[in-house]
Amino acid sequence: MYHNTIALPSKTTLLERLLQVDEDVNFQMLLYPKILESAGQQKTAMKVVLLLRIAINDYAGGAPLIEASVLVRMHEFIDALILDKGVAEEAKMYFEKEMAMASR
């Protein structure tokens, strides 16, 4: 589980998909560029979650409330990055498992 490899969309397609999640200017200037660095790369579901967690953490600058406010949209971000519905579900399950472990 979490080992199916997919190719992330091209930079143009990925940006379009991210903008469908949220057109927030701060996201466009600070969060999306970090995510777009991985456009077109091969990733597993677990690696996509890791990519998003790192980008969101960098965006939040260590502020837990900002990070939490973005993490509530994680499923939408996963759907934006992963076109394969099965792999997207794997990524969401991995993220939920990770969050459950972190809250212990």
Side-chain angles (χ1 to χ4, degrees):
M1 191 174 253
Y2 317 126
H3 299 295
N4 290 321
T5 302
I6 50 93
L8 295 180
S10 69
K11 192 172 271 192
T12 303
T13 301
L14 188 51
L15 179 58
E16 289 171 2
R17 293 176 64 85
L18 288 169
L19 290 172
Q20 289 175 1
V21 173
D22 200 316
E23 293 182 348
D24 180 87
V25 172
N26 287 320
F27 282 3
Q28 290 183 52
M29 301 218 19
L30 303 171
L31 176 62
Y32 294 167
K34 294 183 182 306
I35 296 170
L36 292 171
E37 289 174 7
S38 297
Q41 293 181 5
Q42 297 287 320
K43 300 278 184 194
T44 62
M46 187 171 69
K47 293 288 186 178
V48 170
V49 171
L50 182 60
L51 157 72
L52 287 168
R53 290 296 309 268
I54 291 169
I56 291 168
N57 183 271
D58 287 351
Y59 169 78
L65 292 177
I66 294 172
E67 185 171 1
S69 72
V70 180
L71 286 176
V72 298
R73 313 278 308 271
M74 188 65 139
H75 285 215
E76 295 172 79
F77 286 120
I78 288 170
D79 285 336
L81 269 69
I82 303 175
L83 304 177
D84 181 297
K85 292 186 186 301
V87 177
E89 288 307 312
E90 283 182 22
K92 291 172 190 175
M93 288 189 313
Y94 177 77
F95 172 69
E96 293 303 327
K97 184 177 175 182
E98 179 186 88
M99 293 306 290
M101 288 177 23
S103 66
R104 290 183 186 181

